[in-house]
Amino acid sequence: MEQLTHAHRLSYRINSNWKNVVDNFLECYHCHIAHKDFVSLVDMDTYVVTTHGIYSSHMAEAGKSANTAYDVSEATVTDHAVWWLWPNTCMMRYPGRGSFIVLKIIPAGPDLTYETYDFFLETAEPNEAELESIRYLDEVLQVEDINLVESVQRGMSTPAFQQGRIVYDPSGSGLSEHAVHHFHGLVLDAYKGDAS
């Protein structure tokens, strides 16, 4: 970590409530349908989500073979790791050279959220493979997720919406919403704290 330097930032405006944005980030059962390139990069059979106090971790083997997301032929890091920290920060590592990404999810209104992705890399200038991975995150993965959360936000604004259900896999796989449920509990605890 101490050898990494800030190399790039991506910023987004999302027409959705920040809690909806976090919900989408905390499960990956939607990944097989919504993120075909991501599931070719990450070995979903090894994807494990674990909740701990005020954070959750998402770990999987990744980047070990050719995929449709980006080139990993020179990767020295061959795993995917995400740590979500209550309430609105994510720290991530994608396959490639040594790197670290800090995502801030910034509430700006009941149906408006801003995001910043800060990339910390081994050098101040991304190499070609890192530029390819940044383009993938910016032009593919983020586009897919923003479309999803904005669609969910529109659906939540209809008279038909009352509340959802949680999909639960007790093994802790990526095919479960237990981290979403964990986040909802933290939100409720925060509301209770404000009420007292």
Side-chain angles (χ1 to χ4, degrees):
M1 289 290 294
E2 67 276 3
Q3 296 174 0
L4 301 179
T5 186
H6 188 265
H8 195 75
R9 171 176 272 194
L10 296 173
S11 299
Y12 304 94
R13 175 191 166 106
I14 304 171
N15 295 314
S16 179
N17 186 278
W18 73 278
K19 296 183 294 298
N20 185 28
V21 174
V22 173
D23 278 356
N24 181 70
F25 205 83
L26 293 179
E27 51 79 13
C28 208
Y29 78 84
H30 75 278
C31 293
H32 292 278
I33 304 301
H35 305 306
K36 65 178 179 60
D37 298 313
F38 180 81
V39 298
S40 77
L41 173 68
V42 174
D43 180 354
M44 296 305 292
D45 291 336
T46 67
Y47 200 107
V48 176
V49 180
T50 310
T51 59
H52 323 257
I54 62 166
Y55 75 98
S56 64
S57 62
H58 306 242
M59 305 292 177
E61 296 175 14
K64 294 186 174 184
S65 60
N67 65 84
T68 58
Y70 61 88
D71 181 19
V72 293
S73 60
E74 303 288 321
T76 55
V77 173
T78 55
D79 60 2
H80 171 67
V82 175
W83 298 269
W84 167 78
L85 177 64
W86 164 262
N88 62 338
T89 302
C90 296
M91 296 163 284
M92 299 175 275
R93 183 177 62 214
Y94 277 75
R97 275 200 311 175
S99 66
F100 203 68
I101 305 168
V102 178
L103 162 62
K104 293 291 290 181
I105 299 168
I106 306 159
D111 56 3
L112 179 61
T113 301
Y114 292 100
E115 285 184 337
T116 59
Y117 281 79
D118 285 300
F119 293 78
F120 295 85
L121 306 174
E122 292 179 12
T123 56
E125 292 295 323
N127 66 22
E128 188 52 45
E130 288 163 339
L131 287 171
E132 189 180 340
S133 69
I134 290 168
R135 279 192 297 271
Y136 162 69
L137 195 142
D138 182 37
E139 297 173 10
V140 179
L141 192 59
Q142 273 298 98
V143 170
E144 292 166 346
D145 272 331
I146 289 171
N147 286 338
L148 283 173
V149 298
E150 289 184 344
S151 177
V152 169
Q153 186 70 37
R154 287 189 303 273
M156 290 169 53
S157 300
T158 68
F161 176 77
Q162 296 201 1
Q163 69 181 21
R165 296 280 187 244
I166 299 296
V167 175
Y168 175 65
D169 174 3
S171 74
S173 76
L175 303 176
S176 177
E177 291 181 311
H178 59 283
V180 174
H181 185 261
H182 174 252
F183 168 58
H184 292 184
L186 292 171
V187 170
L188 290 173
D189 288 347
Y191 287 156
K192 289 176 191 172
D194 286 346
S196 60

